[in-house]
Amino acid sequence: MKNKIALKLTLYFSMSLLLFSLIIGSVFMTLFKNQTIHLHKVEMEKRAVSIAGTLSTLISNSNAATDTRGNAAGKGGMSGAGGMGGMMHGMGMGMGGMMQGMGGYSSYLQFLDKIAMADVWIVDESLQLMTIGHMTNRQINYADLPADADQVVKEVFQGRTTFSEGFSSLLNTPTLTVGAPIKAGDNVVGALLLHSPIQGTKEALRQGAGILAMSIGTALLLSLLLSILLAYTFTKPLNRMKNSTLQLAKGDYLAKTGVQQKDDIGELASAIDILSERLELASHESERLEQQRRDFIANISHELRTPVTVIRGSLEALCDEVIADPDQIKDYHRQMLNESIFLQRLVNDLLDLTRLQNPDFKMEMEEINLGDLLRDVIRSAQNIARSKDIVLKTELDQDAPLCSILGDYVRLRQMFLIILDNAIKFSPLKEEVWITFANNTVTIRDKGIGIALEDLPHIFDRFYKSKAVENKTGTGLGLAIAKQIADRHTIRVSVESQPNLGTQFSFHFKCISPKG
């Protein structure tokens, strides 16, 4: 398997199943062994109690017959002592009489072993074996009995049924012994010891263990196959995501994982797909910025080339004394002055725009009265408007002088002057320009040539310039600077314009201390 994760998952799953199987198998075998032995004990106890009960009945019947014979002999003239001895003899020989009634000791013992289906001993209270089964071929005496024989017989003569495994060494095979009391009336007259080899139990345990091992082996094999299938199913989407990320690393931002799952893997795949979309957008944005950079260099080169060429041509003409007329010389000087002024404006605008686009550039933020700022801007714009006989009209509500904002006074003044300068530049002679303030919004509106609908999205781009005659001296950076100042002050700017009807710029402020 080339898939390392799938291999690890398969190994981990298989090891977990193996460990689980060993634990379950050990617990099962322990419980199975205990249950098998318990059932064997219950079955032996039933047989021993049944046989002991039968023997107790036979002894009681034999004693009754002996008493009858004893009474008859007494009536025949025996002395009182002889009659009493007969009764004792009848009680003592109850077991023997019963066995003789059954056809003799040997035949009864053989018959009893067949009934019990096990080796049966009968022991009296002094541990004297009255009968012995066929599991041992030698004569057993008191010294041969195991150490716990006394305790077993003692408990039996106390009327309890008990178990022992101590006779195994004597019988030369692992044996389970159950002792049951043999009673004559209410008295215990003997102990029945039923010996049963536990070899059959161990064989049953071995068979059970074999069946369990086969079952566990089959289950492990099936589980291994299932684990391989599950590991492959689990790692298949991971492989897709890996291939997608490799494609993304190569620059193919259109690569998708194709994984549709409602789980953590599905969420990860969705995140990778979102990342690919973002990278695709970033790639286009990077291309756009690169194009803007090239356009900027081309534009700035073009804007610099014209005044530099004019200044150089004028200087060469003057140095070569091509021009000798004093009036022409003055015209050349005036032209060079105008071109140098344009260059100065261009350089200043570029510096301002660069500073404003730099996040580290700090502005002097302070609380400003918007009414005072607007009146200052209008006074400065009056001189520009006077050259075209344009009237600046103001409509300020009574809250305007009291509206305060947080900003850089110089930069905000520069922003408004840029817009007013454009409004005056593109307005006809003797027209009106309105400056209003209402609902925290400053509006500058003119009736100039307006802006074409397709040009509106680009008016804040650097070096954007309309082809109008009025804009021949513009640098194309004024509106870009105004937009940067507005953005640094979180001022929302909106523009409405219609060709030949005019343009309106709206600046939406957040006053920090409005009236009321």
Side-chain angles (χ1 to χ4, degrees):
M1 297 176 64
K2 296 182 179 180
N3 194 319
K4 295 181 180 180
I5 295 181
L7 179 59
K8 288 182 178 180
L9 287 175
T10 302
L11 291 177
Y12 292 158
F13 190 56
S14 301
M15 290 175 63
S16 300
L17 285 176
L18 180 60
L19 180 61
F20 179 76
S21 300
L22 292 176
I23 294 174
I24 293 298
S26 300
V27 173
F28 172 80
M29 288 305 299
T30 301
L31 296 177
F32 180 72
K33 177 181 178 181
N34 294 336
Q35 181 66 12
T36 302
I37 294 176
H38 172 71
L39 293 176
H40 189 57
K41 284 183 176 180
V42 170
E43 191 272 336
M44 286 183 63
E45 182 179 2
K46 288 181 179 179
R47 281 189 289 163
V49 171
S50 176
I51 294 172
T54 302
L55 291 174
S56 298
T57 301
L58 292 174
I59 290 174
S60 297
N61 294 337
S62 176
N63 287 338
T66 303
D67 289 343
T68 302
R69 288 194 300 271
N71 291 333
K75 291 179 180 180
M78 293 181 65
S79 66
M84 190 65 181
M87 291 178 64
M88 293 299 293
H89 176 74
M91 289 292 293
M93 296 299 293
M95 291 289 291
M98 180 269 296
M99 292 178 184
Q100 292 174 359
M102 292 294 292
Y105 174 80
S106 298
S107 61
Y108 180 75
L109 181 60
Q110 183 178 3
F111 179 71
L112 187 60
D113 284 344
K114 289 181 178 180
I115 293 177
M117 294 182 294
D119 196 56
V120 179
W121 295 1
I122 299 177
V123 184
D124 61 12
E125 191 171 4
S126 60
L127 296 181
Q128 296 298 320
L129 275 72
M130 304 175 66
T131 63
I132 185 169
H134 62 273
M135 286 185 65
T136 178
N137 296 321
R138 61 190 179 90
Q139 187 66 28
I140 302 297
N141 54 40
Y142 178 82
D144 297 325
L145 295 177
D148 66 340
D150 289 338
Q151 184 65 30
V152 171
V153 174
K154 183 183 296 184
E155 291 186 9
V156 170
F157 272 88
Q158 291 177 357
R160 294 193 296 267
T161 301
T162 185
F163 291 89
S164 172
E165 296 183 7
F167 290 85
S168 299
S169 58
L170 180 63
L171 300 176
N172 298 320
T173 182
T175 303
L176 181 63
T177 300
V178 58
I182 302 174
K183 297 182 179 181
D186 294 333
N187 298 321
V188 178
V189 297
L192 175 71
L193 300 181
L194 181 65
H195 307 293
S196 176
I198 60 175
Q199 182 177 1
T201 304
K202 289 186 176 181
E203 182 64 25
L205 291 176
R206 282 195 295 270
Q207 292 179 357
I211 295 174
L212 179 62
M214 292 179 59
S215 301
I216 291 177
T218 304
L220 285 176
L221 179 60
L222 295 177
S223 300
L224 179 61
L225 298 176
L226 181 61
S227 65
I228 294 174
L229 178 61
L230 292 177
Y232 174 76
T233 304
F234 178 78
T235 57
K236 184 178 180 179
L238 295 179
N239 290 330
R240 289 185 178 181
M241 289 186 285
K242 180 190 71 174
N243 295 332
S244 297
T245 52
L246 291 176
Q247 293 297 321
L248 293 176
K250 294 178 181 179
D252 182 10
Y253 302 133
L254 296 177
K256 301 294 181 182
T257 61
V259 177
Q260 301 291 333
Q261 295 181 197
K262 295 182 179 180
D263 53 15
D264 294 340
I265 295 180
E267 293 178 359
L268 178 59
S270 177
I272 294 177
D273 290 340
I274 294 174
L275 176 62
S276 67
E277 295 174 359
R278 298 286 175 82
L279 289 174
E280 178 68 14
L281 293 176
S283 176
H284 290 308
E285 182 66 16
S286 177
E287 293 176 358
R288 187 183 69 83
L289 292 176
E290 178 61 23
Q291 184 62 40
Q292 284 187 351
R293 186 187 67 82
R294 290 194 293 264
D295 293 342
F296 174 77
I297 294 175
N299 289 332
I300 195 66
S301 299
H302 174 74
E303 294 296 334
L304 290 173
R305 183 183 296 112
T306 301
V308 169
T309 302
V310 172
I311 293 174
R312 178 180 177 179
S314 300
L315 287 173
E316 288 178 348
L318 291 174
C319 290
D320 294 341
E321 296 182 355
V322 176
I323 306 300
D325 184 32
D327 292 334
Q328 288 184 339
I329 293 175
K330 288 181 180 181
D331 289 340
Y332 272 73
H333 286 162
R334 191 177 298 107
Q335 181 65 29
M336 288 188 294
L337 177 62
N338 291 335
E339 294 298 335
S340 64
I341 292 173
F342 173 79
L343 284 174
Q344 184 181 21
R345 287 182 54 196
L346 180 61
V347 172
N348 290 336
D349 287 347
L350 284 172
L351 290 175
D352 287 342
L353 186 60
T354 303
R355 291 193 190 100
L356 292 170
Q357 289 179 334
N358 184 6
D360 296 331
F361 176 66
K362 301 296 182 182
M363 291 190 174
E364 300 295 332
M365 294 295 188
E366 58 182 350
E367 187 173 342
I368 300 172
N369 189 299
L370 191 55
D372 294 340
L373 175 61
L374 290 175
R375 282 187 286 271
D376 184 14
V377 170
I378 292 170
R379 281 194 301 269
S380 299
Q382 290 287 358
N383 296 327
I384 305 173
R386 193 176 295 113
S387 62
K388 297 182 66 172
D389 291 334
I390 291 178
V391 179
L392 300 181
K393 288 191 172 183
T394 60
E395 297 176 5
L396 307 178
D397 62 19
Q398 57 181 349
D399 293 340
L402 300 178
C403 179
S404 296
I405 60 174
L406 189 65
D408 189 316
Y409 188 94
V410 176
R411 293 298 176 183
L412 290 174
R413 183 177 182 276
Q414 180 184 10
M415 178 185 71
F416 284 125
L417 282 175
I418 290 172
I419 304 302
L420 277 172
D421 181 66
N422 282 349
I424 295 170
K425 182 191 300 184
F426 294 106
S427 294
L429 296 174
K430 298 180 181 181
E431 194 52 79
E432 296 176 341
V433 174
W434 285 267
I435 302 99
T436 62
F437 178 81
N439 300 323
N440 297 339
T441 301
V442 175
T443 303
I444 299 176
R445 177 168 52 89
D446 63 63
K447 290 187 177 181
I449 61 175
I451 305 172
L453 182 62
E454 61 272 13
D455 293 334
L456 273 177
H458 307 290
I459 61 174
F460 295 114
D461 293 344
R462 292 175 295 183
F463 295 107
Y464 169 80
K465 292 174 61 176
S466 67
K467 297 179 175 60
V469 178
E470 295 84 353
N471 202 30
K472 62 181 180 179
T473 60
T475 62
L477 298 174
L479 290 180
I481 293 173
K483 185 65 168 60
Q484 287 295 325
I485 295 174
D487 291 343
R488 294 293 293 267
H489 288 81
T490 64
I491 301 171
R492 186 168 60 88
V493 182
S494 59
V495 184
E496 298 176 7
S497 182
Q498 293 183 2
N500 302 319
L501 293 179
T503 302
Q504 175 178 298
F505 282 81
S506 299
F507 299 87
H508 306 276
F509 287 87
K510 293 182 180 180
C511 294
I512 60 175
S513 58
K515 184 179 179 180

